[in-house]
Amino acid sequence: MQAHTSFKFNRCQWIQSLAVEVSEFEHIKTGAKHYHIHADSDENVFLVALRTMPEDSSGVAHILEHTVLCGSERYPVRDPFFMMTRRSLNTFMNAFTSSDWTAYPFASQNRKDYFNLLDVYLDAVFFSRLDPLDFAQEGHRMEFTEASNPASELTYKGVVYNEMKGAMSSTVSTLWQSLSCYLFPQTTYHHNSGGEPGCIPDLSYEQLLSFYKSHYHPSNAVFMTFGNLPPSELQERMDTLALSRFERSGLQLQVKDEKRYFAPMCVEEAYACDQPTLEGHTHHVMGWLLPRSIDTNALMEAHLLTQVLLDNSSSPLRSVLESSELGSGPSPLCGLEDSNREMSFLCGIEGSEPERAEAFENLVLTTLQQIAEQGVDPRMVEAQLHQLELSQREITGDGMPFGLQLILAGLSAGIHRGDPLEALNIDPALEALREKIKSPDFIPELIHRWLLDNPHRVRLTLRPDAELAERRNAAEAAKLASIKAGLSDADAEALVIQAQALEARQLQVDDDSILPCVTLEDVPLALNLPQSSSLPSLAGKGCWYSTGTNGLSYQQVIVGLPQLTEAQLALLPLYSHCLTELGCGERDYKENQAYQSEISGSVSASTSVRGAPDDEQQVTGYLVLSAKALAVNQEKLTALLAETLTSARFDEHKRIKEIVAQMRSRRVSGITGRGHGLAMQAACAALSPAGNLAHITTGLEGIRRLKALDKAMGDEAALLDLAQQLQTLHDLIRVAPRHFLLVGEAEFEASMDKVCRQIWQGVPEQAENFSALQLPQTREGVKQVWLVDTQVNFCAMAFPTVPTQHPDAAALTVLGDYLRNGFLHRAIREQGGAYGAGAGQDNGNAVFRFFSYRDPRLEATLQDFLAAKDWVLNTLPEKAKVEEAILGVVSSIDKPGSPAGEAKKDYHANLFGRTQEERLHFRQRILTVTEEDLQRVARTWLNPDKQSVAVVSSSKLSTELSDDYQRIEI
């Protein structure tokens, strides 16, 4: 692999299982490492990462990540990062702060766009302006509640400050940070790299500058790229734009190994909990410090051990945690943390009491001792090795570009000065594991060495405290009052001047012409959509997609949902989860999950309900049973899917009770992580049938009902009744009309077709007199506040609009990006302090939605939503800005997924009446939207009289809302 003259080539390696060649280069002048993953892919990816190791919890690395993107030497505009998101055809743009590194990645399928982004990213990272006002906006600042009135109270503001208030509202985040504090007493992991809200105000601007100067240097950087662009061309640009201006740094930043404990530690901490009762809200977790993550053999052994112990309900440690009466179920922290310099093994329970800590620890240690003494079924170990091999082989990329996933898989090794090539090519380590597991003592020896005989162990009890939040708020208020009391007139005036200067900066209009861009002329006219064919053996109900899947095959059984009662509809998420988690035929649930692991990569079920392309009130719904496996296991997998649909068991009552408790816990703990999505669901719930069903199944109303159901499970009669309801629902669904989707490589089409015919032709199906699902029509607004444990708010407002086929649908879709780019980002994020805000058209439910995320405001944000309409109507939109919004929409439409993901997306779009022709036509309509179209649809459809509002907040934060809000407690 040829290098540019400024780099030297070190080595390269072909990785057969990934079909990529990985090369290592080194910048001669600075020593910066560049790892290039060459692949036959037009989606090229770039990432530059810096080792960032904070020594406190002020959030310096996180705030720097934000502030770096606020203007640079060659691009001295206020917000080049967000400006580029709308001047680009990127398929991914972001920035990450991890515990010991900060990364800036992007991806694009367009060559011109890729190099535009490369120019901006390199200048931002290595030549950032770091304006003090940007630090005040993105990090933290003190401001009077009435910005120009020194007589008013002081308050803290800042995007990261509010982001971390939201993040630390999550009990799981608090649990992890608390455990890390004790598991890592001396290294950087002892601190919260994102920033603790109580510590963020301690960070000074001078400390930020100092951290930037010491950490943001090419000698401390790792560059990683993926795709089909020549590395020499990338290196020429990297050297010219940035690296050539630096000399090699003598400072080598590196995380040291943690100082090991000689005896286990037991600690108890509290977390803020605003619940009617504190009973059943305690968490117990145990953590062990393991070897270095850059040891690939140890890494794979740790993954295998974790899979064996915790992967599913047949795994011995997870089984005990699920069935224990000490808590409601396993902790969400169960698993392996492998991104730090040294790995951690974690396990725990939730829904417990503080006094059960010792019993929990004894349960875990006794279980591990029994496993070590009795050994593990070789079939289970083989099955879990099979899972590791599948994960190495599968081509993913539906949530994040596949190339970026590979880069992140090798990044930790690069950051810790290990071997990224070895981290990506795990096949030799897997082969070594295959030999090691032949010994029945292998797993027991690992359990002894890393767990039972390892004194660096922490038992953490995290108990609820109903008054903790109030004490923290009181302490913050007292601190601010004390600061205010000590302010001189000049100090107070300085705060007023800063607020005025920041507002002026936020309102200034930058010359964005200095930034590179793509235009509509750069948008490809055609799309490469996947092609399908009908399978003759399944009477026209089978669909096949040939695509590159690296030896894996994917199957879906799509079953039409019959007409159901409201109670049955509400049970669909629980039913879908139970369908693959309970026993099947002669196998109980543990045996069934063990068998699933032996033959497949995963088996799952879900429901999908959507409105028609021309009428959101007319819905279609399906249960989708999905699985994937190596092609050689397709016959067993097909038989398993058929058996699951026909013979799933709902007689394991204790297991059903456990599943309900675990689902409730996951849903409740996830509220603050997706509060904006839940708020939008609630705001849209009464505006369309499919939206209402989503709200009562996966939304806030679904969580509220799930909590009530879990509480009722203490009554044996209620549990028996639930099991019967699930069985009745299953009896309706298992005989409903079904279709089949098969995805794989062309060579397996005939054999998979034959297998499906043999297995499914005898499975009963009642297509005659089938009554398909219909839902009651609804088109009403709501005005609700949903009360949860949170330190920040999530606001949503929705308006009834039109479905996909309506002439205004395309313009409304572009309007969402236009409002976000031009108004909402400035008004709600920059000026209001929320972590994020946006708007968008939901064509499936025919609604237009506004949202804010981790927002310190409520009423003011809702007013900004309404003001967005006035903003777009007061002045005719600029043509260039409309084009930017169009680019953003087209980029999201054209964003590629994995080969299998693209096939599944295409099939399900067709299934719901959105044919390829219609999708291409809609894309063409997007490209022709005009400035006048945006004003017309805003005027027509954003009617304040028809607004529907829902916010997620807390009892204290929501006091400013008027009394006409319906208040609902979760």
Side-chain angles (χ1 to χ4, degrees):
M1 187 69 69
Q2 186 174 0
H4 182 257
T5 54
S6 61
F7 282 76
K8 67 174 182 179
F9 169 76
N10 288 340
R11 58 190 174 129
C12 69
Q13 184 174 19
W14 170 258
I15 302 178
Q16 182 67 38
S17 60
L18 297 173
V20 299
E21 183 179 67
V22 187
S23 301
E24 178 188 281
F25 304 89
E26 184 176 335
H27 188 245
I28 297 170
K29 190 177 180 184
T30 66
K33 289 292 182 68
H34 173 211
Y35 299 94
H36 180 69
I37 305 172
H38 181 75
D40 184 18
S41 171
D42 292 329
E43 187 177 30
N44 285 275
V45 184
F46 170 87
L47 177 145
V48 57
L50 298 308
R51 299 173 183 90
T52 51
M53 295 161 288
E55 297 178 355
D56 57 35
S57 293
S58 65
V60 57
H62 187 190
I63 293 172
L64 188 56
E65 172 222 312
H66 280 241
T67 317
V68 154
L69 300 173
C70 291
S72 61
E73 182 180 280
R74 292 176 57 216
Y75 304 108
V77 290
R78 184 170 52 85
D79 204 357
F81 176 80
F82 283 101
M83 293 169 79
M84 284 303 295
T85 62
R86 48 191 186 253
R87 299 168 63 83
S88 163
L89 288 168
N90 72 86
T91 56
F92 189 91
M93 274 183 74
N94 212 332
F96 308 139
T97 301
S98 185
S99 56
D100 55 10
W101 53 260
T102 304
Y104 299 86
F106 68 79
S108 181
Q109 298 181 97
N110 181 286
R111 175 187 169 87
K112 175 183 175 182
D113 186 43
Y114 181 91
F115 284 106
N116 286 348
L117 291 169
L118 183 62
D119 288 2
V120 173
Y121 265 61
L122 288 172
D123 206 56
V125 170
F126 294 109
F127 308 107
S128 181
R129 290 192 304 173
L130 298 182
D131 191 291
L133 289 176
D134 293 327
F135 170 64
Q137 172 186 285
E138 296 297 316
H140 70 86
R141 65 188 183 276
M142 281 190 301
E143 204 170 274
F144 294 109
T145 51
E146 299 172 33
S148 59
N149 180 12
S152 60
E153 298 300 316
L154 276 178
T155 187
Y156 288 124
K157 291 187 176 182
V159 172
V160 170
Y161 177 75
N162 287 315
E163 177 191 352
M164 294 311 297
K165 269 197 163 184
M168 299 314 295
S169 294
S170 163
T171 305
V172 177
S173 296
T174 302
L175 191 62
W176 168 244
Q177 291 299 334
S178 300
L179 182 64
S180 295
C181 185
Y182 293 101
L183 203 55
F184 299 97
Q186 295 189 341
T187 57
T188 188
Y189 312 119
H190 181 79
H191 309 290
N192 184 345
S193 64
E196 287 288 342
C199 300
I200 287 174
D202 297 336
L203 179 68
S204 70
Y205 174 67
E206 290 71 26
Q207 289 171 322
L208 184 88
L209 284 180
S210 176
F211 195 89
Y212 177 73
K213 290 175 182 177
S214 61
H215 288 73
Y216 278 57
H217 188 284
S219 299
N220 189 45
V222 176
F223 294 85
M224 300 189 79
T225 52
F226 169 92
N228 57 12
L229 291 173
S232 58
E233 187 175 3
L234 303 177
Q235 292 163 359
E236 188 277 330
R237 192 72 67 98
M238 288 155 55
D239 180 68
T240 302
L241 294 176
L243 304 187
S244 62
R245 294 175 57 182
F246 290 86
E247 299 297 330
R248 188 181 295 256
S249 170
L251 178 66
Q252 186 175 90
L253 297 170
Q254 182 168 317
V255 181
K256 297 179 180 178
D257 288 339
E258 185 54 78
K259 186 176 181 179
R260 296 281 174 148
Y261 292 144
F262 294 106
M265 175 179 288
C266 299
V267 292
E268 181 173 303
E269 294 274 0
Y271 74 98
C273 181
D274 183 18
Q275 293 291 333
T277 175
L278 300 184
E279 184 179 347
H281 288 284
T282 293
H283 297 253
H284 300 295
V285 178
M286 293 174 67
W288 288 261
L289 196 59
L290 304 187
R292 294 177 181 176
S293 60
I294 57 176
D295 181 342
T296 305
N297 287 314
L299 178 66
M300 289 299 102
E301 290 174 0
H303 274 291
L304 180 62
L305 177 63
T306 303
Q307 291 277 105
V308 167
L309 294 178
L310 292 170
D311 181 56
N312 58 60
S313 296
S314 68
S315 305
L317 182 54
R318 184 172 190 87
S319 174
V320 168
L321 297 176
E322 286 184 337
S323 59
S324 171
E325 298 296 327
L326 296 173
S328 61
S331 167
L333 250 58
C334 287
L336 181 73
E337 205 301 317
D338 65 350
S339 64
N340 293 338
R341 178 175 174 81
E342 293 171 287
M343 299 177 287
S344 310
F345 178 83
L346 315 169
C347 71
I349 58 171
E350 60 187 359
S352 187
E353 303 298 336
E355 61 271 16
R356 297 175 184 171
E358 187 174 348
F360 156 71
E361 183 176 18
N362 289 336
L363 174 69
V364 171
L365 296 178
T366 300
T367 302
L368 291 174
Q369 186 66 47
Q370 290 175 348
I371 300 169
E373 290 175 356
Q374 299 171 9
V376 181
D377 185 344
R379 289 176 57 192
M380 174 179 287
V381 180
E382 178 71 31
Q384 294 308 327
L385 181 57
H386 171 238
Q387 294 299 313
L388 290 177
E389 292 171 334
L390 277 176
S391 65
Q392 168 73 349
R393 178 174 284 192
E394 184 175 19
I395 301 173
T396 55
D398 295 316
M400 180 184 288
F402 178 56
L404 181 54
Q405 293 186 38
L406 290 183
I407 284 174
L408 292 175
L411 179 59
S412 183
I415 289 293
H416 297 121
R417 295 185 169 85
D419 187 352
L421 277 68
E422 186 179 87
L424 287 167
N425 186 22
I426 64 171
D427 291 330
L430 292 176
E431 282 302 312
L433 266 184
R434 186 162 294 283
E435 288 300 312
K436 291 174 184 176
I437 66 172
K438 291 179 180 178
S439 168
D441 295 329
F442 176 63
I443 295 296
E445 286 175 355
L446 285 181
I447 292 173
H448 273 291
R449 187 191 331 147
W450 285 349
L451 303 178
L452 291 173
D453 300 335
N454 180 1
H456 197 109
R457 182 179 84 226
V458 175
R459 185 194 79 203
L460 169 68
T461 294
L462 193 67
R463 57 175 174 79
D465 187 330
E467 300 174 354
L468 180 59
E470 194 59 41
R471 292 197 299 273
R472 283 176 176 161
N473 292 335
E476 180 180 291
K479 180 180 179 181
L480 288 168
S482 176
I483 293 173
K484 184 184 176 185
L487 290 178
S488 65
D489 291 344
D491 293 333
E493 182 63 20
L495 289 177
V496 172
I497 291 172
Q498 177 183 261
Q500 293 171 341
L502 181 56
E503 182 180 19
R505 181 170 171 78
Q506 290 165 340
L507 292 174
Q508 76 183 36
V509 178
D510 287 321
D511 177 15
D512 58 7
S513 66
I514 67 173
L515 288 166
C517 68
V518 293
T519 68
L520 294 183
E521 294 180 356
D522 297 302
V523 175
L525 296 177
L527 284 180
N528 293 321
L529 296 174
Q531 300 302 307
S532 64
S533 58
S534 178
L535 293 173
S537 66
L538 294 171
K541 297 190 300 180
C543 186
W544 169 266
Y545 286 82
S546 290
T547 189
T549 58
N550 206 15
L552 272 73
S553 295
Y554 300 79
Q555 293 191 36
Q556 287 189 344
V557 185
I558 300 97
V559 184
L561 286 177
Q563 189 60 46
L564 301 172
T565 66
E566 183 177 348
Q568 289 172 329
L569 287 169
L571 282 178
L572 282 174
L574 177 60
Y575 167 75
S576 301
H577 192 69
C578 287
L579 192 58
T580 58
E581 292 288 320
L582 293 174
C584 184
E586 297 298 316
R587 297 184 297 274
D588 64 23
Y589 76 91
K590 292 182 181 180
E591 294 168 335
N592 197 40
Q593 292 204 11
Y595 183 61
Q596 289 175 9
S597 294
E598 283 183 39
I599 67 167
S600 74
S602 67
V603 180
S604 63
S606 62
T607 54
S608 180
V609 178
R610 301 186 198 176
D614 59 348
D615 184 359
E616 79 286 346
Q617 300 295 323
Q618 301 301 314
V619 303
T620 309
Y622 299 94
L623 173 90
V624 182
L625 188 58
S626 305
K628 62 186 177 186
L630 292 172
V632 295
N633 286 332
Q634 284 304 312
E635 184 171 355
K636 292 179 181 178
L637 183 66
T638 305
L640 175 61
L641 290 179
E643 190 178 10
T644 299
L645 190 61
T646 58
S647 306
R649 291 170 49 176
F650 295 91
D651 58 350
E652 296 171 302
H653 300 156
K654 185 175 183 293
R655 177 59 179 160
I656 292 174
K657 182 180 178 181
E658 293 169 0
I659 289 174
V660 171
Q662 292 166 25
M663 286 183 65
R664 174 199 57 77
S665 177
R666 296 294 180 272
R667 294 279 186 88
V668 171
S669 65
I671 289 175
T672 55
R674 59 187 190 101
H676 62 308
L678 292 169
M680 283 191 286
Q681 273 188 323
C684 299
L687 291 173
S688 73
N692 185 57
L693 180 60
H695 181 54
I696 66 173
T697 53
T698 63
L700 290 164
E701 177 60 20
I703 296 173
R704 191 186 68 81
R705 295 186 185 192
L706 189 57
K707 285 186 71 174
L709 180 63
D710 183 39
K711 187 176 181 180
M713 290 299 95
D715 180 2
E716 185 66 25
L719 177 57
L720 293 175
D721 181 61
L722 175 62
Q724 184 56 54
Q725 290 182 60
L726 292 171
Q727 182 65 60
T728 301
L729 180 57
H730 182 63
D731 290 341
L732 292 171
I733 291 175
R734 67 187 178 90
V735 294
R738 60 186 77 102
H739 294 79
F740 304 89
L741 168 63
L742 305 177
V743 182
E745 290 165 333
E747 62 189 280
F748 298 112
E749 178 179 359
S751 60
M752 288 183 66
D753 183 25
K754 179 181 178 181
V755 164
C756 284
R757 180 180 70 249
Q758 292 173 341
I759 290 174
W760 282 104
Q761 64 182 357
V763 178
E765 179 182 8
Q766 295 178 359
E768 296 181 6
N769 302 319
F770 174 73
S771 180
L773 176 70
Q774 293 182 334
L775 297 175
Q777 296 193 6
T778 179
R779 204 67 169 162
E780 300 175 354
V782 299
K783 196 171 186 180
Q784 299 172 338
V785 53
W786 292 79
L787 303 174
V788 303
D789 273 352
T790 180
Q791 300 181 59
V792 288
N793 306 299
F794 305 87
C795 305
M797 182 180 289
F799 298 87
T801 56
V802 297
T804 307
Q805 291 184 357
H806 191 282
D808 286 346
L812 283 164
T813 302
V814 175
L815 179 64
D817 275 42
Y818 182 75
L819 292 178
R820 182 198 64 204
N821 296 345
F823 182 80
L824 297 172
H825 177 76
R826 183 186 71 248
I828 297 177
R829 188 185 189 274
E830 294 182 346
Q831 295 178 310
Y835 181 53
Q841 163 74 359
D842 176 358
N843 288 312
N845 290 310
V847 292
F848 191 91
R849 311 174 301 183
F850 292 89
F851 73 88
S852 72
Y853 181 62
R854 292 179 179 169
D855 192 344
R857 308 184 305 163
L858 279 174
E859 193 60 52
T861 291
L862 297 174
Q863 290 304 312
D864 281 339
F865 291 160
L866 295 173
K869 175 184 177 180
D870 297 331
W871 175 79
V872 76
L873 293 181
N874 287 340
T875 306
L876 185 68
E878 296 178 37
K879 183 176 181 179
K881 302 301 181 187
V882 176
E883 286 197 1
E884 288 179 357
I886 291 172
L887 284 173
V889 174
V890 171
S891 178
S892 64
I893 292 174
D894 294 357
K895 181 179 179 179
S898 67
E902 287 287 294
K904 287 185 277 190
K905 184 171 72 173
D906 182 73
Y907 176 84
H908 284 274
N910 288 323
L911 186 68
F912 286 99
R914 293 157 176 83
T915 64
Q916 289 190 356
E917 293 73 20
E918 288 189 358
R919 281 176 274 149
L920 291 172
H921 179 59
F922 182 76
R923 182 178 183 271
Q924 187 59 40
R925 287 162 56 196
I926 292 290
L927 291 169
T928 58
V929 169
T930 66
E931 307 89 90
E932 292 80 7
D933 288 336
L934 296 190
Q935 287 193 321
R936 176 178 51 78
V937 296
R939 184 181 300 109
T940 302
W941 299 108
L942 303 189
N943 183 349
D945 294 335
K946 294 185 177 180
Q947 64 179 278
S948 182
V949 177
V951 300
V952 176
S953 186
S954 67
S955 299
K956 180 179 179 180
L957 294 174
S958 63
T959 53
E960 68 177 81
L961 295 175
S962 57
D963 293 337
D964 58 344
Y965 275 84
Q966 179 187 8
R967 282 171 160 76
I968 308 167
E969 291 195 9
I970 292 290

